[in-house]
Amino acid sequence: MARTAVEIVELIRQRLVAADMSGFADLFAEDGVFEYPFGVPGMPAVYQGRETIRRHVVDSRRDIKALLAIDDIVSTVHETSDPNVVITESDVLGTTLATGKSFRFRSGVSVVTVRDGEVVGFRDYMNVLGAAEITGGQGRLVRDAVASGE
């Protein structure tokens, strides 16, 4: 029996806590779609296909373990009237390694759609400013936003 959407969301949480981005991509269907509906400066808004998603998440988070020690991701999962769609609100808890400062930040809201036990849609309404703040990337965020005209 295929995993439910709620079970898949828990696997996503576990893999993100472990910073296992390739494992995160493994949860997607071959034709899955990963989206940033609010956009992220310097990056496409949509990634189509498991291997494209894998390249994106592995590359864009390549340095995450050098920047952050993630202790946990606390997610509130909201089931919808469609058992294949769940909404998650997530807080990331950890330490910024450069400063030694602990953080808990509201990382965002995600809408996850599952078919046959695989993610076919992942809309990530990410807290871009919060992520830039805890990783020390505010300057890069501003440069990328200016360069992309956003």
Side-chain angles (χ1 to χ4, degrees):
M1 187 168 140
R3 293 180 179 124
T4 68
V6 171
E7 291 168 333
I8 292 292
V9 166
E10 174 56 20
L11 289 172
I12 289 170
R13 188 195 70 76
Q14 291 170 10
R15 291 179 187 183
L16 293 177
V17 168
D20 177 6
M21 301 317 296
S22 187
F24 168 76
D26 287 341
L27 298 171
F28 280 78
E30 187 175 329
D31 62 346
V33 177
F34 184 99
E35 300 177 65
Y36 295 110
F38 292 151
V40 177
M43 293 195 305
V46 178
Y47 296 86
Q48 179 91 36
R50 181 188 304 127
E51 294 313 312
T52 301
I53 294 165
R54 183 184 320 280
R55 282 190 300 276
H56 163 63
V57 295
V58 168
D59 184 57
S60 66
R61 288 144 177 98
R62 181 171 313 284
D63 298 326
I64 198 77
K65 287 185 179 183
L67 299 171
L68 306 174
I70 298 174
D71 299 326
D72 201 5
I73 297 175
V74 177
S75 295
T76 302
V77 178
H78 303 277
E79 295 183 65
T80 70
S81 59
D82 181 341
N84 296 311
V85 178
V86 294
I87 299 166
T88 65
E89 299 176 83
S90 299
D91 288 9
V92 178
L93 291 76
T95 304
T96 301
L97 297 176
T99 64
K101 182 179 175 186
S102 295
F103 63 82
R104 178 180 185 136
F105 93 101
R106 198 60 44 101
S107 68
V109 172
S110 300
V111 179
V112 182
T113 304
V114 173
R115 179 186 68 225
D116 299 325
E118 295 181 308
V119 178
V120 294
F122 191 104
R123 285 180 299 198
D124 189 358
Y125 295 88
M126 183 171 73
N127 178 354
V128 176
L129 186 57
E133 183 179 331
I134 65 166
T135 61
Q138 301 96 320
R140 187 180 72 227
L141 178 65
V142 171
R143 280 191 308 275
D144 289 348
V146 169
S148 67
E150 295 177 13

